[in-house]
Amino acid sequence: TDRGNPVSITAPTTPGTYELRYKFRDQQVIYTQPITVTEVTASITAPAEAEAGSTITVEWTGPNYDRDYIGIGEVAAEGASQWDNYFRTDEGSPAKLLIPADPGDYQISYFVDQDRSVLATVPITVTSVSATLSAPPEAVAGSTIAVDWTGPNYPRDYIGIGLVGATGSSQWENYFRVDTDTPGQLLVPPTPGDYLITYFIDQDRSALKALPITVTPIENVQLLAEDAAPGGSDLIIGWDGPAYARDYIGIGKVGATGSAQWEVYARADEVNPVTITLPEEPGDYVITYFVDQGRTPIKSRPLTIE
């Protein structure tokens, strides 16, 4: 009552006979007044079926209470699973509703936000959607390949590449969005192995189509340099390698890890041979060709700094 007079109170969602009650802080009731809560209705008009992942138009009528919403969920779902996707009724009618990515029997429902009670429901069948992929059966590690595709091309769908058996985001070590032209350009991971190229619906990362590809090692990489050189001197290094964008030749101590593997370096996509000023500290070092993607070493040779 410290909110002033008059005040607003939200009626329950279940019709029936109720009381308004004035209570003291100790819960003592000092006044009551009966009130009848009447039924409220809603209606929904939507297609009888739609493709998985698509967006449909839904017309509706209803009370449009604050934060009411219309959602779609599987038949017999409970709790929050009743609305895999939804829109607020304050968006107006008609409105757009995103269809779940998994085919099956669903229902579209009008929910009163107060207690998630349902005022109206209509059934809808979600049908499967397909995609195709065409790519080389094998590719050299770190290279870029062309991938032809067809599919629903929903907003932010993408085609990714990941190791066979990978889960989660490891299924797309590299990817491109399908809103680009076909074929799309896909960067192959730098580690050889058996991979899958997959069309993913962005909505829930569900896979529509997968295509196997073998990633082969980078061959015939060479490093040509003196076996020993004074500390602080300039060392000329000739090389033969893939020369992918931002590849580099680094020098670090034997057994070094992380960025210590390239105490000094030069980009290998800029000039051949490269000239690198050596560290001052004497010891056993390694000259390494790194593919910039993943900082992957593909060729090494020893160097003694005197």
Side-chain angles (χ1 to χ4, degrees):
T1 56
D2 58 5
R3 297 181 184 177
N5 188 353
V7 295
S8 295
I9 187 168
T10 301
T13 59
T14 304
T17 302
Y18 291 80
E19 284 183 336
L20 294 171
R21 298 169 180 160
Y22 189 116
K23 292 185 176 183
F24 283 149
R25 186 175 181 180
D26 64 2
Q27 303 303 309
Q28 178 185 357
V29 177
I30 64 168
Y31 183 81
T32 66
Q33 177 179 311
I35 182 171
T36 299
V37 174
T38 58
E39 183 179 13
V40 65
T41 61
S43 68
I44 296 171
T45 302
E49 68 177 33
E51 287 187 340
S54 63
T55 299
I56 64 170
T57 298
V58 176
E59 295 181 350
W60 60 272
T61 64
N64 194 18
Y65 298 139
D66 185 40
R67 295 183 61 80
D68 282 2
Y69 56 99
I70 291 173
I72 181 171
E74 288 189 299
V75 171
E78 299 179 348
S81 296
Q82 297 175 88
W83 54 90
D84 290 349
N85 300 314
Y86 68 92
F87 64 84
R88 297 286 179 188
T89 59
D90 59 8
E91 295 181 19
S93 177
K96 301 295 185 181
L97 180 63
L98 180 63
I99 299 297
D102 294 324
D105 294 324
Y106 288 77
Q107 56 191 24
I108 302 172
S109 302
Y110 185 115
F111 295 90
V112 176
D113 183 67
Q114 179 187 162
D115 61 359
R116 311 298 195 264
S117 57
V118 176
L119 292 186
T121 295
V122 295
I124 183 170
T125 300
V126 175
T127 60
S128 61
V129 65
S130 61
T132 66
L133 295 169
S134 177
E138 66 178 38
V140 176
S143 62
T144 299
I145 61 172
V147 179
D148 282 295
W149 58 270
T150 64
N153 195 15
Y154 298 139
R156 296 184 60 80
D157 282 2
Y158 56 99
I159 292 171
I161 183 170
L163 281 167
V164 171
T167 59
S169 59
S170 296
Q171 298 174 89
W172 52 89
E173 294 182 30
N174 300 315
Y175 67 92
F176 65 86
R177 298 286 180 189
V178 299
D179 54 7
T180 61
D181 292 333
T182 183
Q185 300 300 306
L186 182 62
L187 180 62
V188 174
T191 305
D194 294 324
Y195 288 77
L196 290 174
I197 300 172
T198 306
Y199 185 114
F200 293 93
I201 293 181
D202 183 68
Q203 179 183 165
D204 63 357
R205 312 299 195 262
S206 59
L208 286 187
K209 179 69 175 180
L211 185 70
I213 183 171
T214 299
V215 175
T216 60
I218 300 170
E219 297 180 346
N220 301 321
V221 181
Q222 297 185 58
L223 294 169
L224 304 175
E226 298 292 335
D227 294 330
S233 66
D234 289 340
L235 181 67
I236 297 174
I237 305 171
W239 58 270
D240 188 6
Y244 298 142
R246 297 184 60 81
D247 283 1
Y248 57 100
I249 294 170
I251 298 175
K253 288 184 177 180
V254 171
T257 58
S259 60
Q261 298 174 88
W262 54 89
E263 292 182 31
V264 292
Y265 70 92
R267 293 289 176 190
D269 60 350
E270 296 174 352
V271 65
N272 191 358
V274 297
T275 300
I276 299 179
T277 301
L278 299 178
E280 296 284 350
E281 185 178 347
D284 294 325
Y285 287 76
V286 178
I287 305 171
T288 304
Y289 187 111
F290 292 91
V291 172
D292 185 65
Q293 183 190 169
R295 310 293 194 266
T296 306
I298 60 171
K299 182 70 174 181
S300 296
R301 61 164 295 156
L303 171 69
T304 299
I305 295 182
E306 302 168 335

